């Protein structure tokens, strides 16, 4: 029986990963969350993990009392999450949201554990660090993000050296077709109303600003060792073609399916095998048309901010990511306007210094500095 650990098990991806685990009877080694005590208690009673960790110390204390009739050990804090990440298991699925996923990812890689990665911020902030460590430890990083899973699937059986370009598809989010003027006063509620995917709050706002596609461009650079200039983005409103790969002969391979994250989650856990899925079958005749068009790079300026950050290299992608994490949070708290998110990312990239070579400490310090800069700017 396959053994997996899930970091961020109480979130949107985490719960869908447990659907897949339930269907295939996987054994759960460890689960972690920030503070969702009720949900993780239910998960412990169903899946009997050896260890769980909650970042929030108070919540961890509460959980210890609640589950004292079980054999599961409860840990607390970031060190508790890293202790879970270090446990021996077949695959560690990281579905933590944000930079907080970086340290546990590196911990698991250093233990030689295969990674199924949903937590894109990890690759954006520490791409060189993560991929170099994975290479050194001979550890595979399998993509969970639907676009990257589609590219990974479209690369099977072909030569990497014969890839001409990657084409990332984007739903366009709730504000597709809007002008800058239209977006001046949009509310958090409007930004959270994603047309095709039900996801956590942070990534849903990232989809509305299209920062998500910028982060995914950087994620693709690290996952597939391509240049930023070899990645194109197309808005595809129906979210059926999950991404494409063009080869030297101009043949284009794509992966299609209904929008359901359990497909890419499962593929990352069963690769290279394919099994029965909890997702619905795709019936193309249900879709009158599939459309593709260029993004509006002026209105959704976050995409090119990310592209420039990865072209400049060093810590610039980390700065863009951390500025966005903070600005995204401030928007959700009603403290800034929607368009200020991208403005704050641009300002952080202009004002904060990078360096070419970096360590984990450098990334964590830059994260702190950038978030303080954004907070002080509003
Ligand atoms: P959610 O917000 O739904 O879940 C986040 C998870 O991370 C929860 O378990 C949460 O615990 C935990 N968490 C939050 N903060 C911390 C922290 N500081 N330290 C440790 N754990 C923490 O997010 P999603 O599931 O939507 O997204 C997870 C990741 O997957 C993101 O990187 C996202 O970009 C990526 N992704 C998501 C997709 C989706 O469809 N949802 C699609 C593609 C990628 P708690 O419940 O206690 O807060
Ligand atoms: Mg995606």
């Amino acid at each position: 029986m396959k053994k997996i650990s899930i970091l961020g098990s109480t979130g949107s991806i985490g719960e869908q990963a447990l659907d897949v685990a339930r269907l295939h009877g996987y054994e759960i080694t460890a689960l972690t969350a920030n503070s969702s005590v009720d949900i993780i208690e239910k998960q412990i009673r169903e899946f009997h993990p050896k260890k769980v960790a909650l970042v929030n110390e108070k919540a961890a204390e509460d959980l210890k009392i609640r589950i004292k009739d079980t054999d599961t050990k409860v840990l607390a804090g970031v060190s508790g999450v890293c202790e879970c990440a270090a446990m021996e298991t077949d695959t560690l699925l990281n579905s933590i949201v944000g930079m907080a996923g970086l340290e546990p990812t590196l911990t698991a890689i250093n233990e030689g554990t295969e990674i199924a990665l949903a937590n894109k911020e990890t690759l954006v902030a520490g791409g060189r660090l993560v991929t170099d460590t994975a290479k050194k430890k001979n550890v595979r990083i399998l993509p969970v993000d639907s676009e990257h899973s589609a590219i990974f699937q479209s690369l099977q059986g072909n030569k990497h050296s014969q890839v001409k370009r990657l084409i990332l598809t984007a739903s366009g989010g709730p504000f597709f077709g809007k002008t800058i003027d239209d977006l001046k006063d949009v509310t958090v509620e409007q930004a959270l109303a994603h047309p095709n995917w039900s996801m956590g709050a942070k990534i849903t706002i990232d989809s509305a600003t299209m920062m998500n596609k910028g982060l995914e461009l950087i994620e693709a650079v690290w996952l597939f060792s391509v240049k930023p200039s070899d990645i194109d983005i197309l808005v595809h409103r129906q979210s059926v073609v999950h991404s494409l790969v063009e080869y030297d002969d101009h043949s284009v391979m794509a992966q299609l399916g209904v929008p359901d994250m359990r497909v890419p989650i499962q593929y990352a856990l069963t690769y290279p095998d394919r099994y029965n899925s909890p997702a619905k079958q795709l019936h193309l005749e249900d879709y009158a048309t599939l459309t593709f068009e260029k993004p509006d790079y002026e209105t959704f300026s976050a995409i090119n901010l990310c592209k420039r950050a990865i072209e400049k290299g060093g810590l610039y992608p980390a700065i863009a990511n951390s500025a966005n994490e903070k600005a995204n949070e401030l928007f959700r708290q009603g403290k800034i306007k929607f368009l200020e998110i991208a403005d704050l990312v641009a300002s952080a990239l202009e004002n904060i210094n990078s360096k070419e070579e970096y360590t984990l400490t450098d990334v964590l310090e830059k994260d702190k500095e950038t978030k303080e800069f954004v907070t002080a700017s509003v």
Side-chain angles (χ1 to χ4, degrees), residues 8 10-13 34-36 55 95 118 120-121 145 199-200 261:
T10 57
S12 162
I13 293 288
N34 182 27
S35 64
S36 296
V55 177
S95 54
K120 65 191 85 183
E121 295 91 345
D145 212 349
M199 312 178 284
M261 284 307 296

Side-chain angles (χ1 to χ4, degrees), residues 1-50:
M1 197 194 307
K2 190 176 172 88
K3 289 187 291 179
I4 62 168
S5 290
I6 305 176
L7 310 184
S9 65
T10 57
S12 162
I13 293 288
E15 294 245 72
Q16 294 180 83
L18 285 170
D19 273 356
V20 172
R22 191 180 290 118
L23 178 69
H24 299 295
Y26 293 159
E27 186 180 320
I28 304 294
T29 309
L31 298 173
T32 78
N34 182 27
S35 64
S36 296
V37 181
D38 290 344
I39 304 176
I40 208 158
E41 181 186 348
K42 261 193 223 139
Q43 294 177 346
I44 292 166
R45 294 193 183 283
E46 179 179 356
F47 293 98
H48 316 290
K50 290 194 180 71

